[in-house]
Amino acid sequence: EVQLVQSGAEVKKPGESLKISCKGSGYSFTNYWIGWVRQMPGKGLEWMGIIYPGDSDTKYSPSFQGQVTISADRSISTAYLQWSTLKASDTAMYYCARPPRGNYWYFDLWGRGTLVTVSS
Amino acid sequence: EIVLTQSPGTLSLSPGERATLSCRASQSVSSTYLAWYQQEPGQAPRLLIYGASSRATGIPDRFSGSGSGTDFSLTISRLEPEDFAVYYCHHYGSSPGTFGQGTKVEIK
């Protein structure tokens, strides 16, 4: 089965670091881009960035550039989203999502999301 | 960066009625790069339409997309109970991609 499996919910304090994951299975991980989408509580979807695991080419939304790091480990078919210093405003659901093969970046496969709660 | 504005914010309709949702882009975009998603409460989004008018795999034909330039729409011909959800448009023609703010379709 083709799927994206995301890591479990996290509760962190402001100032802490965090790395969440998204494991692809059932397809050739290196041949498809993987994107990250934020959804703050009760709000809409925000495009954060996207990575091509084949060569680690990564693109960020200006809103998230410098705030998060997107990476991938081809050997274990896993993409990551990480923060070095969390803020309360990072509290949100984070989805990874995969476009079809090629350069049309609509998302036809989604993970179930990772809920990140940042609170003192 | 292209800004997508969806209207209305909330659409109150009854099952069986027709729903028309609008998505307006801040500048002209190719219809090749416009998608629509449905999101039910507590669920990840689901792709409905890509390329402005192509239905994704498994999407019922009561869902249709149209438009060009700066104006796009999603139509649900006859609302089923499971269609009451939030809908987002998405431009993916360049980096960064952008989403509209969403339209909630609620039961009247």
Side-chain angles (χ1 to χ4, degrees):
Chain A
E1 180 187 3
V2 177
Q3 60 181 344
L4 297 173
V5 179
Q6 296 190 236
S7 50
E10 301 274 1
V11 179
K12 292 289 197 179
K13 297 186 186 308
E16 293 184 330
S17 63
L18 177 64
K19 192 173 189 178
I20 63 175
S21 66
C22 170
K23 182 176 177 60
S25 62
Y27 71 96
S28 178
F29 184 75
T30 55
N31 289 338
Y32 291 78
W33 293 81
I34 292 258
W36 288 93
V37 176
R38 183 175 80 173
Q39 188 166 39
M40 298 177 75
K43 302 299 185 182
L45 306 175
E46 298 175 90
W47 196 96
M48 301 178 71
I50 198 165
I51 187 167
Y52 188 72
D55 61 7
S56 296
D57 185 14
T58 307
K59 303 183 189 302
Y60 293 91
S61 164
S63 300
F64 293 94
Q65 180 86 48
Q67 308 304 308
V68 298
T69 301
I70 294 171
S71 61
D73 185 337
R74 292 176 292 178
S75 68
I76 55 172
S77 300
T78 300
Y80 300 97
L81 178 65
Q82 69 180 90
W83 297 258
S84 57
T85 307
L86 284 162
K87 297 174 284 191
S89 57
D90 293 317
T91 294
M93 180 71 81
Y94 292 89
Y95 294 101
C96 63
R98 192 206 72 176
R101 193 166 178 177
N103 290 325
Y104 294 99
W105 292 344
Y106 59 88
F107 298 122
D108 62 356
L109 179 68
W110 291 73
R112 298 180 73 169
T114 295
L115 181 62
V116 174
T117 303
V118 184
S119 174
S120 55
Chain B
E1 179 177 320
I2 293 175
V3 176
L4 300 178
T5 302
Q6 293 186 238
S7 61
T10 302
L11 198 51
S12 298
L13 295 168
S14 300
E17 289 194 294
R18 181 185 186 90
T20 302
L21 289 64
S22 173
C23 176
R24 176 162 290 178
S26 58
Q27 59 188 275
S28 183
V29 303
S30 169
S31 59
T32 303
Y33 301 113
L34 198 287
W36 290 91
Y37 303 86
Q38 176 194 65
Q39 188 177 33
E40 299 180 64
Q43 302 293 317
R46 174 175 72 141
L47 177 69
L48 298 175
I49 301 287
Y50 62 94
S53 60
S54 297
R55 271 187 301 276
T57 303
I59 300 304
D61 60 8
R62 64 180 181 273
F63 291 92
S64 63
S66 64
S68 64
T70 59
D71 293 309
F72 298 86
S73 62
L74 174 70
T75 299
I76 311 170
S77 59
R78 290 176 307 280
L79 284 164
E80 297 288 340
E82 62 269 26
D83 299 336
F84 292 92
V86 180
Y87 294 83
Y88 295 95
C89 57
H90 171 208
H91 176 254
Y92 52 91
S94 58
S95 176
T98 52
F99 291 95
Q101 82 278 19
T103 290
K104 181 179 182 181
V105 179
E106 66 175 22
I107 299 176
K108 186 174 182 181

